[in-house]
């Protein structure tokens, strides 16, 4: 019997507004607890919400970017439940008339084909605060800075059939919202979170119960959580069990999902239209103006990167997916005049460093200008690729331009053939044993053996000797000994 | 429409209201009477009537995305039942 | 200087007959001596009042006085007042010192009025008798065995007893008009959205409306000049210019078309009161008006529709009272659930709990369409009735209440009995229309109110219609025995 997996995602993207969705308090991340929670955010008696125009604009941007129906009239509803980080005792959301209706996006699968994933709807809502459990022994601390931050909840159709597809979809949405500039995409800070609805069934049979795994905040965890959940469900069903419809939490440390006890009880959210807010009414002019002003979308950018910079499909895909990365790449490519080298450096050395230090490209200690300057020096043979890595390391740790670092550390490449010849001769005379082996070797094996001598020259020159020149001269001198 | 003890207890739980056991019958009676009163509506055919959520067809005003509220934590927390390190304290939440 | 109208007091201040400090002291003295009989104030703000009075006198001396400068008023304890307890008549907020001012309070302060204190009210404005207050019932100065009406019963009793010349009230289903009728006062419930709700503790958001309570229409007009207007903090406040409500008080009523809805003269109406209403209507005919019988066929449905919509909204509005950020918290909660349930179980009185439960039930899964949606549909029927009738007549007149003030305890055993008290007032709130109650006679020593209903934003017309009646009659000048 063959199992089939059905996956739908609900993505919560925090909108990159300056202030809350219903109050004039800042949404900046990382402030001292409750310093950005105003009277409205604290739900003081008598306070009322007023809707942020930028949240509306951003939601409509998203809708137009996925060719979705945009509602000319949308309505805020109240979702009622008690939780300490939910100050009003209800979340203002949109159930009955969401701002964005049906749309779609295309994802690229590993086999090179594309698959269309339906977006059911996207609606505006407010984020809750944060509960901090660690700080006190028997108490939980509530920080309401995040309460009222605007969210766009993007709900997909259950169109995905593997964890890989789900990740591809999530990455695509991430690329889109960051390119639109409506979400900073910072998953570690919770700006982009994902709930995964997963169910399995025998091929062709009716859908079984699904579970919802909440608040996953990395692409890797999405993949792991779904794979684990699919496995768990199949095990239960194969043992003749049933899957309860429930909410689960992904525990990244244990790499497993577990049931959320506190939210398990039958929820009855008692949705009804929020009487403190009036219907949001927009017209075609408003929507068209936004559509016409949309920035370049990732799919278009990917094609442009292939055309303009002759990047491979893969490189173009990676570099177009995240707007700040795309911008960085284009700056480096332009400055250095070598797009391929720029792509290699960004996807290689820079990405490695960013990952190791868990840093977003936007906060990279090495700016696009700096990296562009460094690549110029590689291209004009001032430094070799290997020395450039040292320069990069210094840039990352201490800052400064490529030229200043090369100058200060004396890393300029030696191209003077007299100086190089001197080193080559020195290496040949002090490594008689290896020279003898070279001479004795079959001619077609000698090519490989030259690597040793090259390494010695680089060691003596501190890596600064121009590798091309060294190679030529070394081969010439050694071959002369063989004849 | 008569509500029984279980109904009242279920509603009270949803609304997070502690109701004294002895008071449940009275609440059940009161609520049942209110529901009878409300039941008068059910005889009216409203199938073609659009619900009215607000008195007139006003539309939502929009607020500029500008910071107008600055930190007033000490002031706003001066009325809080329990606060430490700038956080509101509640009994431990178990997830 | 006591027992005068606001307009008379304003003249006295202007002509230097007394200062605001003298006037304020006289009222404070009277409150101190007399209010134990009525229990009309929850908090007397002596210090604040004298500060404001001093400031008002200074401002007058500097030539900066405006119409309301130095006039003492009281605020219903539902309006948040910074630095002053704002209880909404509930144990839940007994310890709540509001950190901010309601827009209405801020406007009165800016206009230079003096706040004598905060008046008693039914808990969270849920009641028609002022008996549900945590601070004990308020008594009617016309007969202290009787209720002053509710929920703005404290404001009404305070004015009738001469403890303040005027006060603010709020009206969700009749809470300004009914106490005005019971206490021989002039009360105006403005069009929904005319007066900001910001800082007015919400009962039912789509019905609540603040308004003035005073002896005369002229006083009410003076207060409306301060209270009315668009508020950027209240999305539901109307964007519409505010006229000078005192400008056209004396306009002749020649040709005024008055509609008398036959449903308002039903079996439920006390016959002696019906006679008084008819007499008042004859007075209007003498002033040049014409009379037409009209029909508001869905009047009876306003009671069930109201008692779904108001509790539904209230059940959600009152969820914020959870003991986390302000207000009452139960002693030694053993866990979160216990904290919620006991805080709310102990902090709310029984009528509030009843309405929260009705509302919770009406919104719960499976009942929404049958209750809430149905009620909103009935609401439209009621509105359509009014729109039709108000296209034929200028104002609608009828009784404010079916009976005069009833005895304390008379209607507390079955809430439905109490709800029927509101039958003539509820429909206006559902339709969002403005309405007034003015004194039109006495039955068995108890005042009777004439209700005048106008079209949307026709407050100026209503005040004119009421003022002309008060020029021709002296019912509004009658005072309880001994005053």
């Amino acid at each position: 019997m063959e199992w089939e997996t059905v996956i739908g995602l609900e993505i919560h993207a925090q909108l990159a507004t300056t202030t809350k969705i219903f109050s004039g308090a800042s949404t900046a991340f990382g402030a001292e607890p409750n310093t950005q929670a105003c009277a409205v955010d604290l739900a003081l008696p008598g306070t009322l919400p007023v809707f942020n125009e930028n949240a509306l604009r951003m939601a409509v941007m998203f809708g137009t970017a996925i060719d979705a129906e945009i509602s000319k009239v949308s309505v805020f509803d109240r979702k009622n439940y008690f939780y300490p980080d939910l100050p009003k005792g209800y979340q203002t959301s949109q159930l009955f008339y969401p701002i964005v209706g049906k749309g779609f996006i295309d994802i690229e699968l590993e086999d090179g084909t594309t698959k269309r994933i339906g977006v059911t709807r996207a609606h505006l809502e407010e984020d809750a605060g944060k509960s901090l459990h660690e700080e006190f022994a028997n108490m939980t601390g509530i920080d309401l800075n995040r309460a009222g931050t605007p969210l766009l909840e993007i709900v997909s159709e259950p169109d995905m059939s593997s964890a890989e597809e789900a990740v591809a979809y999530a990455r695509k949405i991430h690329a889109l919202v960051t390119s639109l500039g409506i979400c900073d995409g910072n998953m570690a800070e919770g700006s982009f979170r994902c709930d995964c609805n997963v169910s399995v069934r025998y091929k062709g049979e009716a859908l079984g119960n699904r579970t919802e795994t909440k608040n996953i905040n990395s692409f890797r965890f999405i993949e792991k959580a779904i794979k684990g959940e699919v496995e768990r469900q199949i095990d239960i069903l194969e043992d003749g069990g049933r899957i309860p419809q429930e909410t689960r939490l992904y525990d990244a440390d244990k790499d497993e999902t577990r049931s959320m006890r506190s939210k398990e009880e039958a929820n009855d959210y008692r949705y009804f239209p929020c009487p403190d807010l009036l219907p949001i009414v927009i017209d075609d002019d408003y929507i068209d103006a936004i559509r016409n002003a949309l920035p370049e979308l990732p799919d278009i950018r990917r094609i442009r990167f292939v055309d303009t910079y002759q990047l491979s499909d893969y490189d173009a895909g990676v570099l177009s997916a995240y707007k700040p990365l795309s911008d960085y790449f284009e700056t480096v490519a332009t400055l250095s005049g070598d797009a391929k080298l720029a792509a290699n450096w960004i996807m290689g050395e820079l990405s490695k460093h960013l990952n190791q230090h868990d840093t977003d490209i936007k906060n990279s200690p090495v700016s696009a200008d700096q990296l562009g300057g460094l690549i110029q020096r590689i291209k004009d043979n001032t430094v070799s690729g290997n020395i450039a890595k040292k320069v990069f390391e210094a840039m990352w740790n201490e800052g400064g331009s490529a030229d200043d670092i090369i100058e200060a550390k004396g890393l300029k490449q030696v191209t003077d053939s007299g100086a190089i010849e001197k080193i080559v001769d020195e290496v040949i005379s002090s490594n008689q044993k290896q020279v003898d082996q070279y001479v004795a070797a079959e001619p077609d094996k000698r090519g490989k053996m030259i690597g040793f001598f090259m390494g010695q020259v680089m060691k003596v020159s501190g890596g600064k000797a121009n590798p091309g020149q060294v190679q030529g001269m070394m081969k010439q001198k050694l071959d002369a000994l063989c004849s | 429409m008569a509500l029984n003890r279980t109904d009242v207890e279920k509603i009270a739980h949803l609304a997070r209201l502690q109701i004294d056991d002895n008071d449940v019958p009275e609440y059940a009676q009161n609520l049942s009477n209110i529901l009878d009163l409300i039941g008068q509506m059910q005889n009216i055919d409203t199938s073609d009537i659009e619900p009215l959520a607000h008195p007139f067809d006003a539309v939502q005003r929009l607020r500029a995305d500008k910071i107008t509220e600055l930190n007033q934590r000490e002031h706003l927390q001066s009325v809080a039942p329990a606060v430490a390190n700038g956080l509101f304290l509640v009994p431990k939440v178990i997830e | 200087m006591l027992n005068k109208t606001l307009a008379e007091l304003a003249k006295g201040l202007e002509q230097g007959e007394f200062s605001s400090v003298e006037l304020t002291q006289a009222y404070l003295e009277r409150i101190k001596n007399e209010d134990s009989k009525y229990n009309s104030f929850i908090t007397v703000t002596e210090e604040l009042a004298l500060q404001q009075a001093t400031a008002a006198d200074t401002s007058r001396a500097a030539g900066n006085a405006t119409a309301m400068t130095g006039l003492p008023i009281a605020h219903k304890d539902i309006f948040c007042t910074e630095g002053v307890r704002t209880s909404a008549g509930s144990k839940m907020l007994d310890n709540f010192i509001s950190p901010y001012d309601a827009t209405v309070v801020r406007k009165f302060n800016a206009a230079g009025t003096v706040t004598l204190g905060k008046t008693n009210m039914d808990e969270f404005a849920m009641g028609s008798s002022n008996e549900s207050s945590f601070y004990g019932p308020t008594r009617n100065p016309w007969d202290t065995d009787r209720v002053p009406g509710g929920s703005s019963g404290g404001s009404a009793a305070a004015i009738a007893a001469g403890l303040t010349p005027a006060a603010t009230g709020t009206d969700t289903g009749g809470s300004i008009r009914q106490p005005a009728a019971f206490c021989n006062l002039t009360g105006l419930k403005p069009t929904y959205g005319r007066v900001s709700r910001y800082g007015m503790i919400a009962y039912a958001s789509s019905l609540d409306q603040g308004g003035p309570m005073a002896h005369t229409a002229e006083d009410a007009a003076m207060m409306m000049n301060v209270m009315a207007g668009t508020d950027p903090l209240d999305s539901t406040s109307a964007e519409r210019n505010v006229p000078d409500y005192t400008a056209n008080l004396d306009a002749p009523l020649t040709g005024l078309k008055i509609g008398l809805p036959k449903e308002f003269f039903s079996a439920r109406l006390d016959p002696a009161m019906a006679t008084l209403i008819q007499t008042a209507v004859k007075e209007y005919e003498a002033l040049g008006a014409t009379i037409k019988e009209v029909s508001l066929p869905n009047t009876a449905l306003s009671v069930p529709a109201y008692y779904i919509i108001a509790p539904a909204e209230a059940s959600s509005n009152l969820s914020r009272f959870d003991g986390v950020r302000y207000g009452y918290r139960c002693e030694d909660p053993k866990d979160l659930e216990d904290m919620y349930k006991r805080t709310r179980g102990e902090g709310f009185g029984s009528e509030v709990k009843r309405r929260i439960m009705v509302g919770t039930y009406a919104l719960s899964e499976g009942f929404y369409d049958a209750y809430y949606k149905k009620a909103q549909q009935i609401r439209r029927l009621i509105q359509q009735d009014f729109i039709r009738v108000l296209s034929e007549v200028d104002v609608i007149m009828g009784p404010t209440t079916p009976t005069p003030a009833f005895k304390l305890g008379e209607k507390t055993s079955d809430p439905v009995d109490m709800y029927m008290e509101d039958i003539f007032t509820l429909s206006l709130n559902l339709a969002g229309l403005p309405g007034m109650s003015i004194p039109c006679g006495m039955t068995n020593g108890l005042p009777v109110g004439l209700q005048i209903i106008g079209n949307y934003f026709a407050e100026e017309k209503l005040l004119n219609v009421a003022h002309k009646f008060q020029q021709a009659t002296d019912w509004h000048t009658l005072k309880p025995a001994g005053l």
Side-chain angles (χ1 to χ4, degrees):
Chain A
M1 216 57 102
E2 202 182 336
W3 289 99
E4 198 173 55
T5 305
V6 179
I7 302 164
L9 297 191
E10 289 165 20
I11 289 170
H12 291 87
Q14 273 184 1
L15 295 177
T17 54
T18 305
T19 61
K20 307 271 176 89
I21 185 167
F22 298 125
S23 83
S26 169
T27 54
F29 182 83
E32 283 293 302
N34 292 308
T35 54
Q36 290 173 180
C38 69
V40 172
D41 304 324
L42 295 187
L44 286 191
T47 55
L48 295 170
V50 187
F51 183 40
N52 182 337
E53 63 177 0
N54 225 0
L56 174 62
R57 190 180 60 82
M58 289 177 176
V60 173
M61 278 175 84
F62 177 80
T64 52
I66 61 163
D67 286 320
E69 300 159 16
I70 308 292
S71 306
K72 299 268 178 61
V73 179
S74 63
V75 177
F76 282 110
D77 300 299
R78 291 184 183 177
K79 178 183 185 180
N80 294 282
Y81 65 95
F82 288 90
Y83 208 71
D85 62 18
L86 188 71
K88 294 190 291 289
Y90 56 82
Q91 180 192 32
T92 310
S93 179
Q94 297 187 310
L95 176 69
F96 300 111
Y97 302 97
I99 179 77
V100 176
K102 275 190 186 308
F104 64 85
I105 63 164
D106 292 329
I107 59 170
E108 288 76 39
L109 303 181
E110 274 177 10
D111 63 5
T113 60
T114 62
K115 179 173 178 177
R116 179 153 290 189
I117 307 292
V119 171
T120 316
R121 57 184 284 158
H123 62 258
L124 284 160
E125 61 184 28
E126 57 185 339
D127 209 343
K130 280 182 183 161
S131 299
L132 306 165
H133 307 296
E134 282 76 33
E135 212 161 317
F136 309 95
N138 297 308
M139 303 295 269
T140 292
I142 307 294
D143 174 10
L144 297 172
N145 281 348
R146 198 180 67 176
T149 299
L151 294 176
L152 189 66
E153 177 170 339
I154 304 156
V155 182
S156 84
E157 294 287 319
D159 286 348
M160 290 152 277
S161 49
S162 70
E164 289 78 9
E165 284 182 22
V167 170
Y169 167 81
R171 282 189 185 279
K172 204 62 191 279
I173 296 281
H174 186 268
L176 191 60
V177 293
T178 54
S179 293
L180 291 170
I182 62 172
C183 174
D184 71 15
N186 191 322
M187 297 179 80
E189 290 177 4
S191 304
F192 189 92
R193 320 193 285 269
C194 195
D195 299 346
C196 301
N197 291 303
V198 176
S199 69
V200 298
R201 63 175 166 190
Y202 284 126
K203 200 152 197 161
E205 286 191 1
L207 272 178
N209 274 348
R210 62 184 167 83
T211 61
E212 180 181 17
T213 304
K214 281 218 170 277
N215 274 340
I216 311 177
N217 65 353
S218 89
F219 294 120
R220 197 161 53 90
F221 292 162
I222 293 174
E223 182 164 356
K224 291 177 102 173
I226 292 177
K227 284 189 165 152
E229 183 56 18
V230 167
E231 224 168 89
R232 191 186 69 87
Q233 290 191 17
I234 290 176
D235 283 351
I236 293 175
L237 292 172
E238 283 185 341
D239 289 346
R242 266 188 72 254
I243 306 296
Q245 189 123 354
E246 64 177 355
T247 301
R248 300 180 69 82
L249 203 62
Y250 177 68
D251 184 333
D253 295 334
K254 294 182 187 157
D255 186 22
E256 61 182 29
T257 66
R258 62 180 159 84
S259 188
M260 282 174 78
R261 276 173 301 162
S262 61
K263 291 197 176 167
E264 202 175 346
E265 66 177 60
N267 274 319
D268 185 341
Y269 291 124
R270 289 159 282 136
Y271 279 100
F272 75 107
C274 178
D276 286 328
L277 291 160
L278 297 164
I280 305 159
V281 177
I282 52 178
D283 58 17
D284 284 324
D285 289 348
Y286 179 87
I287 299 167
D288 290 343
I290 287 175
R291 194 192 309 277
N292 294 334
L294 281 182
E296 184 184 47
L297 300 180
D299 276 352
I300 308 291
R301 188 157 60 231
R302 179 168 53 80
I303 294 164
R304 181 168 65 82
F305 280 6
V306 172
D307 287 352
T308 311
Y309 300 111
Q310 279 82 48
L311 297 185
S312 70
D313 266 346
Y314 178 78
D315 290 2
V318 172
L319 293 171
S320 63
Y322 182 42
K323 181 70 176 18
L325 183 65
S326 308
D327 292 344
Y328 191 102
F329 161 71
E330 292 207 74
T331 306
V332 177
T334 308
L335 274 176
S336 66
D338 191 329
K340 183 67 200 161
L341 209 47
N344 288 347
W345 270 84
I346 291 168
M347 293 168 67
E349 208 60 18
L350 178 65
S351 287
K352 194 175 88 189
H353 278 73
L354 291 172
N355 285 340
Q356 276 167 0
H357 295 86
D358 205 14
T359 303
D360 189 275
I361 183 79
K362 282 184 293 189
N363 306 320
S364 170
V366 175
S367 71
D369 287 355
Q370 285 171 290
L371 183 57
L374 175 57
I375 294 175
Q376 277 176 5
R377 296 291 87 86
I378 299 169
K379 291 210 10 140
D380 68 12
N381 281 329
T382 305
V383 291
S384 66
N386 270 331
I387 290 293
K389 287 184 182 173
K390 284 188 192 165
V391 179
F392 182 88
E393 193 69 38
M395 266 182 192
W396 181 278
N397 293 320
E398 294 141 40
S401 71
D403 287 342
D404 290 348
I405 294 167
I406 291 166
E407 178 66 35
K409 297 191 183 281
L411 295 173
K412 197 169 181 323
Q413 187 157 257
V414 178
T415 51
D416 170 36
S417 52
I420 290 174
E421 184 169 14
K422 213 176 131 203
I423 301 171
V424 168
D425 288 342
E426 191 186 318
V427 166
I428 289 175
S429 60
S430 56
N431 289 286
Q432 196 52 53
K433 195 174 142 204
Q434 281 78 8
V435 172
D436 291 345
Q437 287 170 355
Y438 186 91
V439 172
E442 296 290 322
D444 59 330
K445 299 265 165 63
R446 286 180 187 150
K448 271 187 186 170
M449 299 173 75
I450 206 157
F452 166 77
F453 298 100
M454 289 285 297
Q456 291 303 308
V457 174
M458 286 303 171
K459 202 166 163 186
V460 174
S461 73
K464 290 184 289 185
N466 178 296
Q469 279 175 283
V470 174
Q471 169 117 15
M473 196 174 289
M474 182 62 79
K475 188 166 185 317
Q476 194 195 345
K477 294 221 171 206
L478 287 170
D479 286 351
L481 294 172
C482 298
S483 53
Chain B
M1 176 119 196
L3 294 185
N4 58 30
R5 173 174 282 274
T6 321
D7 296 327
V8 172
E9 283 167 353
K10 192 182 150 226
I11 299 166
H13 172 70
L14 259 183
R16 299 296 186 275
L17 291 170
Q18 173 117 317
I19 302 290
D20 197 282
D21 259 0
N22 300 324
D23 293 341
V24 172
E26 198 192 333
Y27 275 108
Q29 185 60 50
N30 284 161
L31 296 185
S32 301
N33 291 355
I34 295 168
L35 292 176
D36 283 342
L37 169 76
I38 288 160
Q40 291 172 22
M41 292 190 312
Q42 305 308 333
N43 306 324
I44 309 300
D45 179 15
T46 52
S47 41
D48 300 329
I49 310 292
E50 188 65 22
L52 179 69
H54 273 102
F56 9 82
D57 298 321
V59 302
Q60 180 59 37
R61 263 203 297 281
L62 300 174
R63 176 177 61 77
D65 187 17
K66 298 233 165 63
I67 294 176
T68 55
E69 303 300 316
L70 301 172
N71 176 23
Q72 286 200 76
R73 185 173 76 184
E74 309 317 315
H75 184 51
L76 296 175
Q77 289 191 334
S78 65
V79 291
V83 166
N85 305 345
L87 298 162
F88 296 99
L89 294 187
V90 298
K92 195 101 191 159
V93 175
I94 302 142
E95 275 189 342
Chain C
M1 65 187 132
L2 302 176
N3 290 334
K4 286 191 153 92
T5 65
L6 275 184
E8 289 162 353
L9 292 172
K11 201 165 287 169
L13 286 168
E14 198 187 315
Q15 294 173 350
E17 287 171 33
F18 41 79
S19 69
S20 176
V21 169
E22 285 164 350
L23 183 62
T24 301
Q25 277 168 336
Y27 275 109
L28 289 170
E29 190 65 17
R30 186 126 131 195
I31 294 169
K32 208 174 284 172
N33 295 334
E34 304 290 325
D35 197 37
S36 57
K37 284 187 249 173
Y38 316 112
N39 193 28
S40 66
F41 278 87
I42 290 174
T43 305
V44 179
T45 51
E46 184 170 350
E47 203 176 316
L48 171 68
L50 290 170
Q51 255 171 37
Q52 289 175 325
T54 307
D57 286 336
T58 308
S59 150
R60 185 173 298 281
N64 297 328
T66 53
M68 297 286 283
T69 303
L71 290 175
I73 59 165
H75 290 299
K76 184 176 182 178
D77 206 17
I78 202 166
F79 289 101
C80 285
T81 38
E82 184 168 350
V84 174
R85 172 174 62 186
T86 300
S87 74
S90 182
K91 178 181 179 182
M92 187 60 91
L93 291 177
D94 183 45
N95 62 3
F96 179 64
I97 309 297
S98 176
Y100 78 107
D101 275 331
T103 296
V104 162
V105 171
R106 186 174 51 72
K107 285 181 152 195
F108 272 113
N109 289 347
T113 62
V114 171
T115 306
L116 294 171
K118 309 292 295 291
T119 58
N120 205 349
M121 56 182 285
D122 279 301
E123 185 179 4
F124 285 105
M126 297 182 191
S128 314
S129 70
N130 244 54
E131 291 169 287
S132 74
S133 171
F134 171 65
Y135 300 91
T138 301
R139 289 166 184 275
N140 191 324
W142 288 86
D143 176 351
T144 52
D145 289 336
R146 290 177 189 268
V147 304
S151 64
S152 311
S155 288
I159 303 167
L163 308 181
T164 180
T168 54
T170 62
D171 190 317
T172 306
S175 286
I176 285 176
R177 290 160 289 155
Q178 185 247 24
F182 281 9
C183 295
N184 207 46
L185 302 175
T186 300
L188 167 63
K189 179 206 103 70
T191 306
Y192 180 79
R194 179 73 290 186
V195 171
S196 167
R197 294 187 297 114
Y198 191 79
M200 194 176 105
I201 298 175
Y203 160 21
S205 310
S206 76
L207 305 168
D208 293 344
Q209 183 60 207
M213 301 175 78
H215 288 296
T216 64
E218 185 183 14
D219 288 1
M222 287 171 69
M223 291 175 76
M224 278 299 284
N225 278 350
V226 177
M227 296 175 84
T230 314
D231 183 359
L233 299 177
D234 176 1
S235 302
T236 62
S237 72
E239 282 182 280
R240 203 177 235 273
N241 289 335
V242 178
D244 175 358
Y245 291 102
T246 59
N248 287 311
L249 289 172
D250 284 312
L253 299 186
T254 324
L256 180 79
K257 283 183 266 179
I258 299 173
L260 301 181
K262 58 177 191 230
E263 293 79 8
F264 279 36
F265 296 86
S266 61
R268 189 170 279 282
L269 178 60
D270 178 304
M273 290 177 63
T275 309
L276 287 170
I277 301 293
Q278 295 294 356
T279 309
V281 169
K282 288 216 172 62
E283 184 65 46
Y284 274 107
E285 280 184 295
L287 289 168
T290 57
I291 310 300
K292 183 180 180 184
E293 189 189 271
V294 295
S295 175
L296 297 167
N298 293 298
T299 299
L301 289 172
S302 61
V303 182
Y306 176 90
Y307 280 98
I308 284 295
I309 293 167
E313 293 181 6
S315 71
S316 175
N317 284 336
L318 270 61
S319 291
R320 66 187 58 196
F321 301 105
D322 57 4
V324 177
R325 300 163 311 284
Y326 47 79
Y328 178 75
R329 178 188 284 197
C330 68
E331 292 285 329
D332 302 324
K334 66 175 197 286
D335 56 27
L336 185 68
E337 182 97 348
D338 185 50
M339 183 192 77
Y340 279 143
K341 289 189 172 177
R342 280 204 292 124
T343 294
R344 293 167 57 78
E346 295 162 13
F348 291 135
S350 56
E351 180 60 20
V352 171
K353 280 187 270 198
R354 241 185 325 263
R355 293 198 195 186
I356 290 175
M357 285 199 276
V358 170
T360 301
Y361 181 75
L363 291 174
S364 61
E365 213 170 347
F367 296 112
Y368 178 85
D369 281 2
Y371 288 117
Y372 192 75
K373 189 174 162 209
K374 186 91 182 177
Q376 298 279 44
Q377 289 170 316
I378 303 267
R379 186 174 184 181
R380 187 171 294 277
L381 291 177
I382 289 166
Q383 184 198 39
Q384 286 169 349
D385 283 355
F386 276 114
I387 289 174
R388 182 176 44 75
V389 168
L390 286 167
S391 70
E392 297 165 7
V393 300
D394 299 314
V395 292
I396 297 167
M397 288 188 188
T400 307
T401 60
T403 64
F406 47 88
K407 292 204 157 145
L408 268 87
E410 193 181 321
K411 291 177 194 287
T412 45
S413 57
D414 184 356
V416 171
D417 261 6
M418 188 78 88
Y419 295 175
M420 294 310 291
E421 266 302 301
D422 305 330
I423 183 148
F424 300 138
T425 48
L426 295 177
S427 53
L428 265 75
N429 298 82
L430 292 169
L433 290 163
M436 289 188 78
S437 180
I438 60 171
C440 73
M442 305 289 284
T443 174
N444 294 326
L446 295 171
V448 173
L450 170 72
Q451 185 170 212
I452 313 171
I453 301 162
N455 219 324
Y456 293 113
F457 301 101
E459 288 81 4
E460 199 181 0
K461 173 56 88 186
L462 289 182
L463 289 161
N464 164 225
V465 169
H467 180 71
K468 292 301 279 184
F469 185 80
Q470 293 180 338
Q471 296 297 92
T473 63
D474 56 7
W475 299 116
H476 62 286
T477 64
L478 297 184
K479 300 277 185 310
L483 284 170

